[in-house]
Each structure stands twice: as C-alpha cells, then as structure tokens.
Amino acid sequence: MVKGSTPMDPTDPYLRREQTFPTLTVEQTERIRPFGRVEVLPEGTVVFERGDRRVDFFVVLRGAIEIYEHRRSGIRVIHEHGERQFTGELDLFNDRRILVGGRVRGAGEVIRLDRAEFRRLLAAEPEIGEIIMRAFILRRMGLVSHEEGAVTLMFDEASPDQMRIERFLRRNGYPLELVDCRGVNCETQLAELGLSAVDLPAVLVHNTGETLRRPGNRELAECLGLVEEIRTDSVYDAVIVGGGPAGLSAAVYAASEGLATVVLEREAPGGQAATSSKIENFLGFPTGVSGQSLAARAQVQAQKFGAQIALPQQVVGLERREGGFRVVLEDGRGILGTTVVVASGARYRTLDVPGAARFDNAGLYYAATAMEAGFCRGEEVIVVGGGNSAGQAAVFLSNHASHVHMLVRKPGLASTMSDYLVDRIHSSRHITLHTETEIVGLEGERQLARVTWRHLPSGTTEEVPISRVFLMLGARPNTEWVQGVLQLDAKGFVCTGEQVERGGEWPLERRPMMLETSLPGVFAAGDVRSGSTKRVAAAVGEGGVLVSHIHEILGTYA
C-alpha cells in the first residue's frame, strides 16, 4: 500500500485513526458530561499551549479543536478534533510540559474536565477509560514517529554527546528530529542560528527559540519540562529508587492500591531491560516485546494510577528518620518516605582493556536498540557476553549489520543462555560464535577503528577492522548510595530476608520479610538484590510481591 511513491508504514498509529482519534458515541459523551462542565468558547480560544503543565481534558460538542506544533517556520496544524472527539495524550497523566498547543476553530462548545475530574472519569468509567488510554498511547507513538512536537538535534558526527542526548530523549519518549550538519548547506544554517561546529551537538527548542549547546541530561530535562516537582514537605508511603521492571512493577501495584508513590529514576524508565531489542520469553507476549516498549507501557500504567515518575534524579544516600526514611538526592534535597524500595538495578561491566573508557559511545555500546542498529548497517560488529541480553543483541543486530561476531570466555553458551537463543545463534549464517575468546586491544583516534581479540587456549591473537562493539558483560550493582547503610553481599548486591537473618544484622524480634533488607521498612527487588535471577519477569514479580510488605509496615503506623 503506497501513498504517492512513499511506502506506508503498517505500524504507523495514524493509519489506525478509529483508535488513535476515536469518535465517542452519543451515549458515551453523555456519560462524560457529569464529570466536567460545559463551556462555550469563541473561535481562536487557546485551550492549551506547548510548555503548559497540568492541562485540562476536552470533549468537543460543537466546532473543533485544532492541535498545532511549533516549528522554525512557524505554527503548523497537525490534527483537528471534531464533534465527540477528545483532546490529550500521555502528558495528561503527569506534570511535564506538553508538546503541542490546542485552539478552538469555529463556534466551540466543549466538556472541560480538570485533572481531578479526569481521573475520576477513568476510575468510574473503565470502558471509556480504555478508549482514552489506547488513544493516548497511540498519539504519543505518532508524535514520535512523525517527529511532531519535536525538538531538533543538530550534530556533525556520531559523537558520545550526540548519542547520549538522542538516547535520553528517545528512551523518555520525546519526539526528536535529527539534522546531520555535514551537508553542503549546513554552514549557512548554523550561522543563521549563531552556531559553529564547536557548539555541536545542539538542541533547538522551537516554541521558545532556545538553543542548547552540548547540553547535559539535567539541563535538557529542565529546559523541556521533563523534570517534575517532588514533594519534600510531606511523606510518601513508598519511595522507589529505580525505574526498571522491579521499580515500575512496585509503582503500579502500590499506586493502584492507593499508596502515595514516587519513583526516582536517574535517566529513563526501563533500566537495563530497556536496552533489549526484543524480549521473547516474557509472559503474555508470544511474538516478543522490546524492552523500551515494555517500560513505556509500565510507566503509563503507573502514572494512570497516580504514581509520580521523577527524572532525572540521582540518589546519593539513605538516612533513617523517625517514622520512616529520607532519600537524599544529588542536589541535597531529601524525599521522605514511610518505606523505601531499592530497585536501582545493575549495569553492565566495561572491558578491562587499557583506554577502553575513551571509546564509550564512540565504538563501545551497552545497549542494542534500533538507535544503535542504525549505526551498524553494512558493518561487521562484535557482541561480548554469553547471557540472554547478549544473545538478544546478537540476533537483533544480525538483521542490520553485515555480520556479528559473538565473543564469550566460556567453552559454550548452554550454561548461561536460554535454549531458544542458543539455537538461533548456531543456526544464523550472519553470526559467528568465538568461544574461549576475549578482547585484549582497542585502537582508534576519536572513534574506535580496530579490535584485537585473543583465543585463550592457544594464546593466538587476531586484529580486525571493527568499529562497533556491544558489551553485555556481568552486572555490577548500583548500590553505592546504600553502602554502609544496608547489608550487602561480597559482590555489592543487597541482602534480603534469610540472608539478613543469617548475617546477624536484623534488629527486631520479628523475622525479616522475604524482600526486606537489614533496615526494617526498606526493601530490595530486581537485579540489585542478592540472589535474584536477573530476569525481567522475576523483577516484575518481586516488585508486585513487596507491596504486601509495604502494607504490613504501614499497618504498624495506623
């Protein structure tokens, strides 16, 4: 199916108009009416503007509401909501700055619901809520895929900063337009913006006219309104540190049971799982699901129930307070909670090779998503590691790179990888498995250019002109912020339950709960927990289980 000469993407949400921009029935519209108020609005009334926070939800009764975006060339209308259609997308579930504006066309009559009224509608009318939720998810997907409501990232090479900024925005579901400034007209374009090559990568924010030169993630998040205000003068029922599968699962279950819940995440929801291109053994997804998609849906689900997802927030400490705890942020502020969930996860180890650090995001990568795959077309690449994440990366990259070399230190994969992945790797003509082999040398100027690997039994080495290496090595726990506060095992993972009891650090007469740490009221779940299975499904399960533990702690204060 083509439109003109351009093939149409069958996954484009805008092709699913009945779901993305549904028209409610008369009966559904009447059911919404009692939750809000009817207003007559003159033509041209701006009902919300890009950059606003906490916008209202509108159902059109008469006339239309135009949705528009800001571009360098001016304002452009991207959609129009007609009679019995509704406004909004995912930012209606949080306090981030919205991506688009809306204005009335024609003599307008609407039902307006504020945030509290909108949440009551979702709770009271699940059928209508399902229609709205599906539409909101598809609309955000459409904004991202069509680069609408986007900022522009200008760059002149695939640098570590360019990759960092792109990864941060994409993992947070922010629409992004990429402009490669190596084109012939780029010097003129940069001069018009007051930029030079030393300012790149730069981010253009069209509605404000701001230009951010080589911004850090925090600066970028604050400018774009991704940073939400966190309450520091009241106490949350649950402060969850880490937005991976365990943290998001805990947030969904805690918030759905009415607990005041906040998730503190330093970069983007999903954790290490979000770097997986496809998870095929997660219950309920027989055709597989990308880690990023799974994380995005979990985030929306948590926010739907009222959980706050706060990012980018770096946690640096944990303190005991009367009746609860104080979680210390990098800027010195403290978030108070009656209970705390340590779900800060783990990160892949880097290579123990001289000079490896200078090639981070310039040849050495710790994720294999669509973004990284785009750099690999027609090239040979290396995947290092023998676990499921490495196997998933190798299979995924084999569809993009000309060939994938998989390096493992062990004699085979059977002891560390699921059978279905082992079978795919052995049967692929585009993957070569190098057992008992490790990387011993990396060379290049600003970008990795050559790799030397060594076969351990024979000691023979081989130098190959490969500039992309994907590291999926053993995990290192993110527990620096609880060292000296919680009992950790020899590798730095958080001890829980019976481990704490055996370690002799438990201070109460009652026994510690299964996921409780050496500090009563503090729990650990997912990859950061000692003895965890390092599987997404297990992390999700633990996140759900510990909510019963939280209720037990809260019950002692009732």
Side-chain angles (χ1 to χ4, degrees):
M1 184 176 182
V2 296
K3 181 179 179 181
S5 59
T6 304
M8 297 180 72
D9 181 357
T11 66
D12 185 349
Y14 290 170
L15 296 180
R16 300 164 59 181
R17 297 195 68 80
E18 291 184 357
Q19 293 180 313
T20 307
F21 304 107
T23 299
L24 300 170
T25 66
V26 173
E27 187 264 344
Q28 288 169 335
T29 304
E30 289 304 308
R31 282 157 54 191
I32 293 174
R33 192 184 293 263
F35 290 91
R37 57 200 178 278
V38 175
E39 295 183 359
V40 176
L41 302 174
E43 181 168 7
T45 301
V46 175
V47 292
F48 47 81
E49 182 59 277
R50 176 176 176 137
D52 288 347
R53 298 183 190 259
R54 299 189 66 82
V55 299
D56 292 339
F57 175 78
F58 296 87
V59 178
V60 179
L61 299 177
R62 181 165 50 89
I65 294 180
E66 294 178 331
I67 305 301
Y68 57 87
E69 66 169 343
H70 292 264
R71 309 294 293 184
R72 284 189 64 205
S73 56
I75 287 177
R76 184 176 78 93
V77 175
I78 59 177
H79 182 70
E80 183 179 284
H81 296 293
E83 185 177 334
R84 300 200 312 277
Q85 293 187 321
F86 54 84
T87 64
E89 59 98 35
L90 292 180
D91 279 344
L92 208 64
F93 290 117
N94 54 55
D95 290 337
R96 297 174 188 173
R97 291 179 184 164
I98 63 169
L99 303 173
V100 294
R103 65 191 177 196
V104 176
R105 187 182 66 77
E109 185 178 9
V110 301
I111 306 173
R112 179 197 288 258
L113 284 70
D114 64 23
R115 286 292 182 90
E117 294 164 337
F118 175 67
R119 288 194 177 276
R120 283 197 293 271
L121 168 68
L122 295 184
E125 295 284 354
E127 176 210 352
I128 296 174
E130 183 178 340
I131 294 171
I132 292 171
M133 178 64 72
R134 183 186 300 113
F136 280 11
I137 292 172
L138 290 171
R139 288 175 189 179
R140 175 54 69 99
M141 291 170 59
L143 291 174
V144 171
S145 61
H146 288 268
E147 300 177 358
E148 294 170 341
V151 293
T152 299
L153 174 59
M154 305 184 72
F155 63 97
D156 60 356
E157 63 176 344
S159 67
D161 278 335
Q162 181 264 322
M163 288 198 66
R164 172 183 54 79
I165 293 169
E166 182 179 352
R167 181 182 297 113
F168 178 75
L169 292 175
R170 293 201 187 282
R171 287 190 61 187
N172 281 292
Y174 204 96
L176 176 65
E177 175 192 34
L178 295 175
V179 174
D180 189 338
C181 291
R182 288 172 288 195
V184 292
N185 298 321
C186 207
E187 287 188 10
T188 302
Q189 189 176 6
L190 289 176
E192 290 175 353
L193 294 167
L195 297 172
S196 64
V198 297
D199 297 315
L200 301 181
V203 176
L204 311 183
V205 186
H206 302 298
N207 63 311
T208 63
E210 291 179 82
T211 300
L212 305 179
R213 296 163 169 82
R214 307 178 74 91
N217 289 353
R218 180 73 187 189
E219 178 187 0
L220 187 60
E222 289 179 343
C223 178
L224 299 182
L226 294 175
V227 179
E228 299 182 48
E229 182 179 353
I230 314 174
R231 302 197 313 265
T232 57
D233 57 350
S234 57
V235 182
Y236 288 92
D237 293 320
V239 178
I240 301 169
V241 181
L248 290 174
S249 173
V252 167
Y253 285 101
S256 69
E257 296 182 17
L259 303 183
T261 305
V262 64
V263 178
L264 305 174
E265 168 55 46
R266 65 179 179 179
E267 182 177 2
Q272 198 164 274
T275 67
S276 294
S277 56
K278 200 172 190 180
I279 304 169
E280 292 192 68
N281 59 354
F282 190 76
L283 185 68
F285 291 89
T287 60
V289 60
S290 75
Q292 191 163 335
S293 176
L294 186 66
R297 289 173 179 269
Q299 177 185 355
V300 173
Q301 197 172 13
Q303 290 176 326
K304 167 190 169 183
F305 289 120
Q308 184 177 7
I309 312 291
L311 59 89
Q313 300 292 347
Q314 179 70 48
V315 175
V316 297
L318 175 64
E319 300 171 353
R320 188 80 171 89
R321 288 287 187 268
E322 183 177 354
F325 305 92
R326 181 174 183 265
V327 177
V328 185
L329 303 181
E330 191 174 32
D331 59 11
R333 290 181 299 158
I335 309 303
L336 303 178
T338 305
T339 67
V340 173
V341 176
V342 180
S344 45
R347 57 194 181 276
Y348 289 119
R349 298 181 184 275
T350 191
L351 290 173
D352 186 19
V353 174
R358 68 190 181 96
F359 294 118
D360 279 353
N361 290 321
L364 295 183
Y365 308 105
Y366 302 87
T369 66
M371 186 183 83
E372 287 82 13
F375 302 133
C376 301
R377 297 193 185 280
E379 297 184 17
E380 292 189 36
V381 303
I382 295 172
V383 173
V384 183
N388 273 10
S389 295
Q392 290 159 354
V395 171
F396 173 67
L397 292 170
S398 68
N399 295 318
H400 301 271
S402 62
H403 199 82
V404 177
H405 297 274
M406 192 168 188
L407 275 57
V408 296
R409 290 175 58 88
K410 292 188 175 183
L413 299 172
S415 65
T416 56
M417 189 179 295
S418 296
D419 285 346
Y420 79 95
L421 284 170
V422 176
D423 291 342
R424 288 189 184 178
I425 289 166
H426 285 312
S427 62
S428 175
R429 294 182 294 108
H430 302 289
I431 302 175
T432 299
L433 177 64
H434 303 264
T435 59
E436 299 177 287
T437 301
E438 65 179 2
I439 291 178
V440 294
L442 302 169
E443 296 180 52
E445 298 299 326
R446 299 176 64 182
Q447 172 74 35
L448 179 64
R450 292 173 301 282
V451 175
T452 300
W453 66 54
R454 178 172 60 204
H455 183 239
L456 297 173
S458 65
T460 58
T461 61
E462 181 178 358
E463 183 180 287
V464 290
I466 291 178
S467 59
R468 313 284 182 190
V469 177
F470 295 84
L471 303 178
M472 308 291 175
L473 299 169
R476 183 172 60 197
N478 295 315
T479 52
E480 296 87 352
W481 63 284
V482 293
Q483 286 185 359
V485 180
L486 300 181
Q487 179 185 335
L488 308 179
D489 69 12
K491 295 183 178 179
F493 292 88
V494 180
C495 296
T496 56
E498 291 182 358
Q499 294 172 313
V500 169
E501 206 169 13
R502 290 196 303 269
E505 296 192 23
W506 184 245
L508 302 182
E509 291 185 6
R510 70 166 175 86
R511 299 184 66 183
M513 289 175 267
M514 180 175 66
L515 299 175
E516 198 166 18
T517 71
S518 57
L519 201 55
V522 177
F523 306 94
D527 288 1
V528 75
R529 189 178 67 82
S530 178
S532 66
T533 60
K534 309 298 184 287
R535 291 286 188 270
V536 174
V540 170
E542 291 179 9
V545 165
L546 63 79
V547 174
S548 63
H549 298 349
I550 291 174
H551 278 298
E552 188 167 333
I553 295 295
L554 294 176
T556 64
Y557 295 100

